[in-house]
Amino acid sequence: MVVAGLTLGMAVSCGPSKQVQNLTKTTQETLELVKKEAQRAIALTVEKVKNYEVDPDIGKEIIRNLKDAERKIDTQLAVAVQLEKTGTKEEILQFAERTNVIIQSALTDLKSLNDLYDISTFSSFETATFFPAGGFGIPPEKQDEAKKSIEPIVQRIIKFFGDHPRQRFVAVIVCYGFSDETPIAKESPLYSPLLAKMKTNNPTRQELNVKLSELRAKSIANLLVDLIKINEGLIPNPKLINYDIKWMGKGEELPYPDRVKDYKADDKRRRMVSLIWNVLPGSLYAQGLSNETAMR
């Protein structure tokens, strides 16, 4: 990534007056480069959302904060133009010092976001991997298979923390559950447990399948959290990490219809759960920090 090598260096091999004379121009050039990288990150985020590697709501939050960073850079650029015309030596040096803090913070965030986007952050699984037919809890006989499926995701998350040991992050984990159109009969052993978790006494087939897919998504999200907790000793600075864990039941909504065009009403490809995880700098996902979300 271009930003990795950027810095606003002030120690140059020329006299003080020459250094100050060029400092405003150097600052402007560096700000322009950082702005281009922020714009590139926005375009990448849009692409990742389109490819299901970033949740749409999370993507909006990232883009909003990247655009805020752009506006800050534009403000600094406007100040630089004015200082170039009328600024004193002291004003220019103070401006360069303040701007360097902004630049280095932006570079750190952009690099970690770029590193994240180099990793696969989307996974999907057939529900049969985790649940028996008609169940939404992971039974003992499925635990080993379920953990084996989730473990690679846990290792990627922990490795990312290890690669950025001094940064404050929010680990945003979003799990979606999907179902097909198979009815859940009232005499089914699944009906009563689902009904107990719903706000209606006479749910439709669609409402039952939404609740079933939601509870399955919650089970998978909780399993991922449990496995991270087990491995927390491998995280360099766990106190710097916040977690925002989300799950949602999509019910009979078609999963990723732009990828599969021939779904059927009774289709195991629709009975699935998907996981999207993103480890984001606090400045790009302040919501997770303000909530101070902790693992359960």
Side-chain angles (χ1 to χ4, degrees):
M1 192 174 186
V2 175
V3 295
L6 292 179
T7 184
L8 185 57
M10 295 177 60
V12 295
S13 59
C14 52
S17 59
K18 180 71 172 176
Q19 180 178 336
V20 172
Q21 183 180 355
N22 292 332
L23 191 54
T24 304
K25 183 177 180 182
T26 302
T27 305
Q28 287 175 295
E29 290 173 348
T30 308
L31 285 167
E32 290 286 2
L33 286 170
V34 175
K35 181 178 177 178
K36 286 181 181 178
E37 289 301 323
Q39 292 169 340
R40 175 176 174 269
I42 289 171
L44 273 173
T45 303
V46 171
E47 182 181 343
K48 292 288 182 179
V49 169
K50 184 178 179 181
N51 292 333
Y52 308 111
E53 295 178 83
V54 173
D55 177 79
D57 290 338
I58 309 305
K60 288 178 185 177
E61 177 78 4
I62 296 170
I63 290 170
R64 184 181 69 79
N65 284 297
L66 286 170
K67 287 183 175 179
D68 282 347
E70 271 194 274
R71 285 189 283 272
K72 287 180 183 178
I73 291 171
D74 284 337
T75 298
Q76 295 303 105
L77 284 168
V79 173
V81 169
Q82 187 60 39
L83 286 175
E84 195 173 27
K85 296 175 182 177
T86 61
T88 65
K89 173 182 175 180
E90 286 303 317
E91 287 173 334
I92 291 171
L93 289 172
Q94 289 173 8
F95 168 74
E97 185 175 348
R98 290 194 304 271
T99 304
N100 193 44
V101 173
I102 294 171
I103 288 170
Q104 295 308 318
S105 176
L107 293 181
T108 301
D109 288 350
L110 288 167
K111 183 181 184 306
S112 61
L113 190 62
N114 186 69
D115 290 347
L116 176 72
Y117 286 170
D118 282 341
I119 303 170
S120 174
T121 58
F122 170 84
S123 300
S124 63
F125 310 90
E126 292 183 6
T127 54
T129 303
F130 304 92
F131 310 102
F136 54 79
I138 305 173
E141 65 270 19
K142 289 278 188 179
Q143 285 287 335
D144 288 345
E145 184 180 2
K147 290 177 181 178
K148 186 176 179 180
S149 298
I150 297 297
E151 188 65 32
I153 301 171
V154 174
Q155 294 306 319
R156 286 198 294 272
I157 293 172
I158 289 176
K159 183 178 185 305
F160 191 90
F161 292 151
D163 290 342
H164 305 80
R166 289 176 292 279
Q167 260 185 281
R168 187 167 175 78
F169 285 114
V170 181
V172 189
I173 297 164
V174 185
C175 189
Y176 290 116
F178 296 86
S179 73
D180 61 12
E181 298 173 29
T182 302
I184 300 171
K186 289 187 176 182
E187 58 272 17
S188 163
L190 180 60
Y191 187 87
S192 293
L194 282 178
L195 189 65
K197 296 179 178 294
M198 301 179 72
K199 295 180 179 180
T200 176
N201 292 323
N202 191 28
T204 64
R205 183 199 75 213
Q206 291 86 350
E207 289 171 334
L208 285 164
N209 277 324
V210 166
K211 179 55 69 173
L212 174 61
S213 62
E214 175 196 326
L215 293 171
R216 285 174 168 174
K218 182 179 179 180
S219 292
I220 300 305
N222 286 340
L223 174 62
L224 178 60
V225 168
D226 287 343
L227 291 177
I228 292 175
K229 287 178 68 176
I230 289 170
N231 290 277
E232 195 171 44
L234 300 175
I235 299 173
N237 291 295
K239 291 183 179 180
L240 295 179
I241 312 299
N242 286 76
Y243 295 84
D244 195 359
I245 316 296
K246 306 172 186 288
W247 56 81
M248 183 180 297
K250 295 287 190 175
E252 296 174 11
E253 183 177 323
L254 297 177
Y256 319 116
D258 55 332
R259 295 183 179 180
V260 180
K261 304 295 185 182
D262 61 343
Y263 285 121
K264 297 176 177 60
D266 181 1
D267 194 328
K268 71 175 184 178
R269 294 173 299 174
R270 295 174 63 175
R271 299 191 293 269
M272 63 166 289
V273 286
S274 66
L275 270 169
I276 305 173
W277 65 272
N278 296 120
V279 179
L280 303 171
S283 61
L284 296 183
Y285 191 68
Q287 177 181 328
L289 291 179
S290 61
N291 290 342
E292 289 295 322
T293 311
M295 288 192 291
R296 60 179 183 83

